[in-house]
Amino acid sequence: MHPMVKPALRRAWRERQTVQFGITPAHAVVVGPVDTATGSFLDLLDGTRGLPLLRDEARSMGLPDGRADALVDRLAAAGLLDDSTAGGRAAEALRNRKVELDRLRADLASLSVTHREPGAAMDRLAARRTMRVQVRGAGRVGAAVAATLSASGVGRVDVLDSGLTPAWDVAPGGLPVESVGERRDVAARQLVRRSAPGRAGRAAGADPGGADAEGPGDMQGGRGPERTERTERTERADARAALASGGGAGLSLVIVAPRDGLAAYAPDPASAERWIATGTPHLYAGVVEATGVVGPLVLPGGTACAGCLTEERTGRDPGWPLMLAQWRSGRRASVTPACDLGLATSVAGLAAAHALSFLDGELPASTGARWEITLPLLDWRSERIAPQPVCPCGAAGELEGEGMVVTGGPHDTMVG
């Protein structure tokens, strides 16, 4: 172990012998009493020394034998220590990809704050490279979600959509103006590849055969200059197969972000049957009529699904099914969607953050719940969606027995 005080947590002395790591209450930790020698020892915890050397340094500072190990154990238990050498082969491989890791250092710092164990941040960042996410929709929300996940180190991000890109789909962080008139799925795949970490180094002249030659960008469908017509045909065939099967096989998560936000606000249970059957987690996100929604994140058999959402809404409003059938069957191809750019960007950002939290092993607040925001006041509000006994998804039965327990809350930690 090479202990390192997490650099993402800023340090400040509360008074002469008490130091606080971290600014916000969610992650701040107070340590004390800290005498002069102990304070000097803390400065040595920078990830460059192993425990044997730290013991020698502590002894030279006049600290008694065993104090170095005790301090390291105490700081680790408080969630203040990282390990610059921790992790398996995947973590070591990521450390060796300098260009890619430099792009992800801010993400790594964030993970070090939210995950207490030494080395946990690097392990989770490396694990993202092995994951496959499918984004269904390449409008203002879906394209931005896909780009964000790719830029955050997710190994493979597939985007499914149809038709050509209109001018109003262009958005910062989403489809560029150059994609107007192009096929949405092709433009979205190009966006995903451009967003992947590691690619900027090659564009700037890095050695294509060096340590950074392979990364998440290469898992998105090949390197730009080396792409062939066969590669494009293969990707299109994969997309058609995914659409035909409903997706699910080998996917870590499906994000449903349709250009018509109605399909996110009131998702069709039939479209999710394949994901329920295969146990594929899926998250809804979109904008409809100046209202943005994120959630629910559905864990099949454990939390409320699209069918539960429909049953719950119908119970409150008996006229809902009739109106919904009319809205779904209406021809609205010529109607420009009411999708404010700022709102769409906010929804995409929140959806991507919830997706990454889930991929990193957490249960974000959208699990079995929906977050909603409406212009012009923009007040986020959440609603818990209860599993419905009449829904065939089985989540209500899990709650009655000893099934999944979903909890949430801040990671407040104060150590005196």
Side-chain angles (χ1 to χ4, degrees):
M1 181 180 184
H2 283 59
M4 173 176 60
V5 175
K6 293 180 178 179
L9 293 173
R10 302 185 193 185
R11 185 190 312 185
W13 291 90
R14 297 180 64 89
E15 40 84 13
R16 188 172 182 180
Q17 289 195 323
T18 306
V19 60
Q20 177 170 319
F21 295 88
I23 299 172
T24 64
H27 303 290
V29 178
V30 177
V31 176
V34 179
D35 57 29
T36 302
T38 301
S40 299
F41 180 78
L42 292 178
D43 292 333
L44 300 179
L45 300 177
D46 58 4
T48 64
R49 302 169 178 83
L51 283 174
L53 181 56
L54 286 172
R55 294 184 188 111
D56 292 341
E57 296 273 8
R59 194 175 298 112
S60 67
M61 293 177 175
L63 292 173
D65 289 344
R67 178 65 63 85
D69 292 82
L71 286 171
V72 167
D73 290 344
R74 181 184 177 192
L75 294 172
L80 294 176
L81 283 191
D82 211 338
D83 184 354
S84 63
T85 61
R89 295 177 60 184
E92 186 61 26
L94 181 55
R95 288 191 184 95
N96 291 331
R97 301 181 187 281
K98 184 180 185 304
V99 173
E100 183 179 335
L101 184 57
D102 283 347
R103 281 276 303 275
L104 294 170
R105 286 197 184 279
D107 303 85
L108 180 63
S110 178
L111 286 169
S112 76
V113 171
T114 56
H115 297 279
R116 298 167 58 86
E117 304 85 0
M122 181 62 78
D123 280 340
R124 282 167 170 79
L125 195 61
R128 288 183 184 179
R129 303 180 81 251
T130 69
M131 295 178 180
R132 180 184 176 190
V133 176
Q134 183 184 95
V135 180
R136 300 178 78 89
R140 282 186 164 184
V141 174
V145 169
T148 301
L149 295 181
S150 178
S152 299
V154 175
R156 178 166 179 176
V157 181
D158 303 325
V159 187
L160 304 184
D161 209 335
S162 59
L164 304 180
T165 305
W168 55 80
D169 273 355
V170 171
L175 297 180
V177 67
E178 293 80 14
S179 66
V180 174
E182 293 184 356
R183 287 178 44 168
R184 280 194 185 90
D185 58 346
V186 173
R189 285 197 293 270
Q190 292 172 345
L191 171 67
V192 165
R193 285 192 293 271
R194 287 195 301 269
S195 302
R199 301 195 63 80
R202 288 194 294 277
D207 180 7
D212 295 306
E214 181 187 347
D218 304 296
M219 302 173 71
Q220 311 287 2
R223 303 166 189 150
E226 300 173 10
R227 292 180 55 76
T228 65
E229 183 180 349
R230 181 178 179 182
T231 303
E232 294 287 356
R233 287 200 306 268
T234 300
E235 288 183 351
R236 289 196 292 269
D238 288 345
R240 287 195 296 270
L243 282 169
S245 67
L251 293 173
S252 305
L253 178 66
V254 172
I255 300 176
V256 185
R259 286 175 285 112
D260 181 359
L262 177 63
Y265 185 80
D268 185 356
S271 66
E273 288 178 352
R274 174 71 173 176
W275 306 325
I276 297 294
T278 58
T280 304
H282 46 287
L283 172 68
Y284 296 95
V287 174
V288 59
E289 296 179 356
T291 293
V293 294
V294 175
L297 169 61
V298 180
L299 308 182
T303 65
C305 68
C308 296
L309 183 62
T310 301
E311 293 291 343
E312 190 273 338
R313 182 62 183 264
T314 302
R316 288 190 286 114
D317 182 0
W320 180 254
L322 178 59
M323 293 188 296
L324 188 57
Q326 296 172 68
W327 292 327
R328 285 175 176 166
S329 62
R331 298 292 181 182
R332 299 180 54 83
S334 61
V335 178
T336 303
C339 186
D340 175 83
L341 181 56
L343 178 60
T345 303
S346 298
V347 169
L350 187 64
H354 280 236
L356 289 168
S357 177
F358 173 73
L359 295 173
D360 292 335
E362 303 299 321
L363 292 176
S366 59
T367 308
R370 162 177 282 173
W371 288 82
E372 189 170 312
I373 184 173
T374 303
L375 291 171
L377 299 183
L378 298 168
D379 55 325
W380 281 107
R381 53 199 178 275
S382 66
E383 177 186 9
R384 177 65 56 182
I385 303 168
Q388 301 295 305
V390 297
C391 183
C393 73
E398 285 288 332
L399 291 180
E400 293 172 1
E402 297 183 359
M404 178 181 299
V405 177
V406 178
T407 60
H411 303 280
D412 293 339
T413 304
M414 295 295 290
V415 176

